[in-house]
Amino acid sequence: MKCLKVIQIALAEVGTTEVPKNSNKTKYGKWFGLNGVAWCGIFCSWVYAKAGVPLGNIGFTKGFAGCQTAVAHFKKTGEITTTPQVGDLVFFDWNKDKRHDHVGIFNGWKDKGKGEFYTVEGNTAIGNDSNGGQVMSRTRNTSVALFVHPKVLDQ
C-alpha cells in the first residue's frame, strides 16, 4: 500500500513547474530548505515524506538532494534491486560513466522485454532530462537505470 501512496502523490504533481522558469525554485525546494538548486532528488524526498514514508537522513534530514550521495547510501544499506516495484526509486546514468545524473519514481513496465518502463520525475523535460524544470511522466530504459527499493516501504 505504501508504494501505491507514493506513486499517487507523485502522479498528482505532474505538470508542476519551477517558478520563475529556469530558476530551480519550487515548493519542494522550499519544503526541503534548499531552494534554487537541482531538485529531482528533493522532489522524490518530498513525495516519500508526503506519503508518510520519509526516506530519513541521506545527506540531509529530509532525505537527499544529490544522486551520488543517495546511490552510495542505498548501495551501503543493500536497497538496490533488479525487480522494481511501483513506487521504488530509479537513478539514471545517462553517460554510463558510473555517475548517476538524475532520479525518478518507478511507475511500472511499458515493455519489460525491451527494458522500457514508466516513471514520474521532478526537474525534467523533453530535451533536458536532468534539469528541465517540471514534473513529468516519462518512459525510460533499463540500460541507464539503477533501481532502489527503499526499506521504508516495507516498515
Side-chain angles (χ1 to χ4, degrees):
M1 282 313 270
K2 292 177 182 177
C3 290
L4 291 178
K5 183 84 171 163
V6 167
I7 202 63
Q8 288 170 344
I9 289 169
L11 285 167
E13 296 300 306
V14 169
T16 302
T17 60
E18 54 194 37
V19 177
K21 188 175 181 176
N22 300 318
S23 68
N24 278 323
K25 292 192 177 184
T26 64
K27 67 181 180 181
Y28 318 112
K30 190 173 184 178
W31 164 84
F32 196 79
L34 194 62
N35 209 4
V37 300
W39 50 275
C40 59
I42 292 170
F43 169 74
C44 292
S45 297
W46 181 91
V47 168
Y48 271 70
K50 292 296 178 192
V53 286
L55 292 169
N57 190 329
I58 306 173
F60 295 88
T61 57
K62 291 186 176 181
F64 69 96
C67 292
Q68 303 310 314
T69 300
V71 168
H73 167 83
F74 291 124
K75 283 182 177 179
K76 182 178 177 182
T77 57
E79 296 171 83
I80 306 300
T81 185
T82 55
T83 55
Q85 301 172 30
V86 171
D88 283 352
L89 296 171
V90 56
F91 290 86
F92 299 98
D93 179 0
W94 307 128
N95 305 321
K96 298 181 184 179
D97 61 0
K98 308 275 190 240
R99 291 189 52 80
H100 292 85
D101 310 291
H102 186 63
V103 63
I105 299 172
F106 181 78
N107 192 25
W109 293 101
K110 177 179 181 181
D111 185 334
K112 195 171 183 180
K114 291 182 180 176
E116 296 174 338
F117 59 92
Y118 299 109
T119 62
V120 178
E121 302 168 23
N123 204 16
T124 192
I126 304 301
N128 191 343
D129 289 327
S130 295
N131 197 18
Q134 57 188 306
V135 179
M136 295 180 71
S137 291
R138 303 293 305 263
T139 301
R140 301 295 191 187
N141 191 280
T142 56
S143 66
V144 292
L146 176 74
F147 299 105
V148 170
H149 180 74
K151 292 176 183 175
V152 296
L153 293 173
D154 300 327
Q155 296 173 353

